[in-house]
Amino acid sequence: MTRWGPPGGGPGGPPPPRPPSAWRGGRGGAVDANDAVASFSSRGPTADNLVVKPDITAPGVDITAAVAPDSAIAREYGEQPPGYATISGTSMATPHVAGAAALLKQQHPGWKSAELKAALVAGARPVGAGAFAEGGGRVDVAAAIGQTVVSEPTAVAFARQSYPHADDAPVTKQLTYRNLGSEPVALDLSAAGVGPDGKPAPADMFTLDAQRLTVPANGTATVGLTADTRPGGDLDGVYTGTVTARGTGQTVRTTAAVEREIETYDVTVRHLGTDGEPATDYWPSLFGLTGLGVAGHDYSTASRTGTYTARLPKGVYFLDAIITDEDGTDSRITAPHFEVTGNTTVTLDARTAKPMDITGPDPAAERVYAEMFTELTTPEFNTSTGIADQSFAKLRSAQLGPDFSTEGTLYQEFNALDINDTKEYRFSYGGKVTRLATGFARTAKQAEMADISTALGATVADKQGMVVARAIVPDVFGSIITAGVMRPLPVATTTYVTTEGNDWVIGLDQYDDTGSYPELSHGTGIQHYEAGRSYGRDLGVGVFGPGLEAIEGVSRNGDSLTGCLTPLRDSTGNWSYAYEDTLTATLYRDGVEVASTPDLLGCWNAVTVPAEPGDFRLTATATRGGPSAAPTEVSAAWTFTSGHTTAEEALPVSVVRFTPRLGLDSTAEAGAVTRVPVSVLGAAAGKNLKSLTVEVSHDGKTWTKAKVAKGAFLVRNPAAGQSVSLRAVVVDKQGNTLTQTILHAYRTK
């Protein structure tokens, strides 16, 4: 039995798929503000989940700093100029604060971490962003060095005041000022607040019990700060305050916060098993959909008694639970539109759930996988939950309450897999709904399915793998569970798929020798199949080489150059990805290196280049070993001219694809003559091709020119156990070039 959608709730679901391309890399986040948050390691005051953070901010956007050449961070962000990288985020803000603390420590060697923190926060310069965005303000090391008076603590958090507020009681906390100097300091004190609407809070929301205070030399003085939430009227939410102390040319600001709980009620959720007793095994989910400040929040609370109570603001929620009986039966009970307007109790009763099933067209086939999947997407968040088993025998479902009517999308999907020898039947029914299924029954007919002959290749002997398939429905992410049956590779199979309202991604996972994880994967991309029709799909059969399809290529937008190229597609253009792949890419302009990183061709990474026209050279190399015998290396070098553009434009790059008829193990007969079709894709394709030169090698070192005629050339294969390497040089009519080499493109036997 499998369940997902994290225990206790939380937007999530099955793990994301691996990237379908080898020349693709990760992407770092961006920061929009001029400062990034830099918090000290010590936690600020907390009460009822209210935390006054950050402590302080510092410059953190587009900061250029020295990096070690060829270090991990240099490879990730690139070096512009060499030895430096420009990065945004807390990784750049934190060094500013650390440096300020070091300077302060140098000035005051006897100060401990508490004094250093307090002085930095006290000397910070507010920029008007609010306590929860900037803390004390932007770091000002010059002011901090001259600071002799600090506050303890640097921020004050008051306990949340529960709704309703007529009986709220004022709360007072002590604020201490410490004088680190040798002379007494007289302070003038004032307090002011800001409401959740950004406007000034009532004058009596935050008050002090003294307006003037003298702090003795090397001593302390204390003042009481009171938060009174009764004056808030009808405006609920978090109020922030600032206590300002001025004296002897220095200012100390201390932030404060208190929350007037918005209209909120106690909601008790009960979970009953099929025996009517409180459940002891269940997964609860409770997400806010609409209402003041609730959208996207997770309110789930787990217990072992079958009951939990959540304090929920007035609004609409998605309420869900998977209740498991002692015999392993999973009952999924969902209230997709659960409205909270007062204190209430709701019961999720497994006895209301109904069974589900999909009947396939082959009575001799064995059911090996069954799944019900639900996805909820709103403008604020998304979440997915599901239940799965070897069959539907122990899976049940029910909807509770009214239909889903909130802004967003509710989607439900039922999937199953049947196996009969080398035949696989994959069923997927689903779509956008306003009401979730209470039970489900469907009979699949052969005429409603497409059959796909799938040849599953492997370039290494004694490997095993499985067909993986995922239904794709427009405008939803959908389930990514791709169940399959392990088979010895290579092998030919037939996959039947339903065609009702969905497309499919068909793939092959080749597993490691222990069968623990897929070490090599191939996939078709999204394909549409018609009912009653037959298709052929070869997966993992060479020659492997660069692809140039869909969004792939190199483009320029203004002075930003982005690459997106796949170096190891199989002979029919399917993507291919192995964990052992190693990648490098380097860009030159007028002979000078601009950037060098594995992520340079990663589809999401951009390189800034000068606006003036220049001659570019882009090189890339991908190596593959371990789970694959062919190829061992694919390399390419492109040259082109480019200057500033006013919009995104594709740059003139091309690739060459070789498609000889090989066995499912990507081998050819030793000593035989093999005809190798060759095609040019990209900028030099068709009538724009000026010249194509092809060379062949049996050792990867000595090359012989091949005669290309009618889109193909002939190769005399070497002795058994050896290999054929291929090289192509392309020139288009504008003078742009490609040199592409595939070492050990195929082997002989």
Side-chain angles (χ1 to χ4, degrees), residues 402-541:
D403 294 352
F404 177 79
S405 59
T406 306
E407 183 181 1
T409 298
L410 184 61
Y411 170 79
Q412 191 164 52
E413 182 179 323
F414 296 87
N415 299 309
L417 170 61
D418 290 355
I419 301 293
N420 184 355
D421 194 19
T422 59
K423 296 179 181 180
E424 301 190 1
Y425 297 85
R426 295 182 178 271
F427 312 98
S428 184
Y429 300 102
K432 298 176 183 179
V433 297
T434 57
R435 187 167 190 84
L436 299 173
T438 296
F440 180 79
R442 188 65 182 266
T443 298
K445 299 179 180 179
Q446 189 78 48
E448 298 172 346
M449 307 183 76
D451 67 274
I452 308 165
S453 297
T454 48
L456 311 180
T459 63
V460 177
D462 301 322
K463 288 293 183 178
Q464 57 181 351
M466 65 173 64
V467 175
V468 292
R470 178 187 172 195
I472 304 295
V473 177
D475 302 322
V476 298
F477 190 73
S479 173
I480 64 170
I481 298 297
T482 52
V485 173
M486 203 75 75
R487 304 176 186 279
L489 297 178
V491 66
T493 66
T494 301
T495 300
Y496 298 88
V497 297
T498 54
T499 58
E500 185 180 299
N502 59 264
D503 298 327
W504 288 85
V505 171
I506 308 294
L508 163 64
D509 277 349
Q510 174 183 303
Y511 276 71
D512 74 318
D513 293 339
T514 67
S516 301
Y517 71 94
E519 60 184 1
L520 179 57
S521 298
H522 315 282
T524 63
I526 299 174
Q527 302 284 332
H528 179 70
Y529 300 101
E530 298 286 346
R533 293 189 58 184
S534 298
Y535 301 84
R537 290 287 183 266
D538 291 349
L539 292 158
V541 180

Side-chain angles (χ1 to χ4, degrees), residues 170-410:
V171 179
T172 299
K173 290 199 172 187
Q174 298 302 308
L175 177 59
T176 298
Y177 291 94
R178 180 176 296 277
N179 186 351
L180 303 173
S182 58
E183 298 293 333
V185 176
L187 299 176
D188 292 318
L189 308 177
S190 63
V194 177
D197 57 357
K199 298 179 181 180
D204 47 356
M205 178 73 72
F206 295 100
T207 58
L208 297 163
D209 61 14
Q211 279 67 51
R212 188 169 178 80
L213 201 65
T214 298
V215 188
N218 298 310
T220 62
T222 301
V223 65
L225 173 63
T226 299
D228 187 350
T229 51
R230 293 173 299 179
D234 295 329
L235 183 59
D236 298 327
V238 175
Y239 287 76
T240 59
T242 302
V243 178
T244 304
R246 292 184 174 89
T248 63
Q250 58 184 312
T251 300
V252 183
R253 295 179 184 87
T254 307
T255 54
V258 65
E259 181 181 357
R260 276 174 55 102
E261 187 179 49
I262 61 177
E263 185 176 354
T264 303
Y265 300 99
D266 288 331
V267 176
T268 300
V269 184
R270 302 173 65 230
H271 303 83
L272 301 181
T274 54
D275 58 1
E277 296 298 319
T280 57
D281 187 359
Y282 60 95
W283 281 24
S285 299
L286 181 59
F287 304 118
L289 299 180
T290 65
L292 182 60
V294 307
H297 287 272
D298 173 16
Y299 294 92
S300 307
T301 303
S303 71
R304 301 300 297 175
T305 64
T307 300
Y308 69 86
T309 297
R311 190 153 174 82
L312 303 180
K314 179 181 179 180
V316 177
Y317 296 80
F318 181 88
L319 175 62
D320 177 81
I322 300 169
I323 302 172
T324 303
D325 287 340
E326 290 185 0
D327 67 354
T329 297
D330 272 349
S331 298
R332 170 86 182 280
I333 317 296
T334 308
H337 186 100
F338 175 57
E339 191 167 0
V340 174
T341 58
N343 296 334
T344 188
T345 297
V346 61
T347 300
L348 303 182
D349 191 340
R351 293 172 296 181
T352 64
K354 303 297 181 184
M356 58 186 80
D357 198 13
I358 295 174
T359 302
D362 186 348
E366 177 187 3
R367 175 66 46 81
V368 296
Y369 183 76
E371 172 197 13
M372 184 194 76
F373 171 85
T374 300
E375 176 182 309
L376 172 65
T377 303
T378 75
E380 289 78 21
F381 82 111
N382 63 71
T383 184
S384 58
T385 51
I387 51 177
D389 202 355
Q390 185 173 343
S391 73
F392 284 110
K394 293 184 178 181
L395 303 182
R396 302 158 61 89
S397 68
Q399 168 159 325
L400 177 68
D403 294 352
F404 177 79
S405 59
T406 306
E407 183 181 1
T409 298
L410 184 61

Side-chain angles (χ1 to χ4, degrees), residues 74-141:
R75 291 193 296 270
E76 180 177 356
Y77 291 97
E79 297 180 53
Q80 299 179 29
Y84 293 86
T86 299
I87 308 172
S88 297
T90 54
S91 294
M92 305 312 291
T94 302
H96 281 88
V97 179
L103 292 172
L104 197 58
K105 179 70 170 179
Q106 185 180 42
Q107 184 74 14
H108 303 284
W111 286 9
K112 305 299 183 183
S113 59
E115 287 89 351
L116 295 173
K117 169 186 173 179
L120 286 172
V121 175
R125 291 184 289 108
V127 297
F132 290 99
E134 64 173 349
R138 195 181 210 205
V139 65
D140 184 344
V141 65

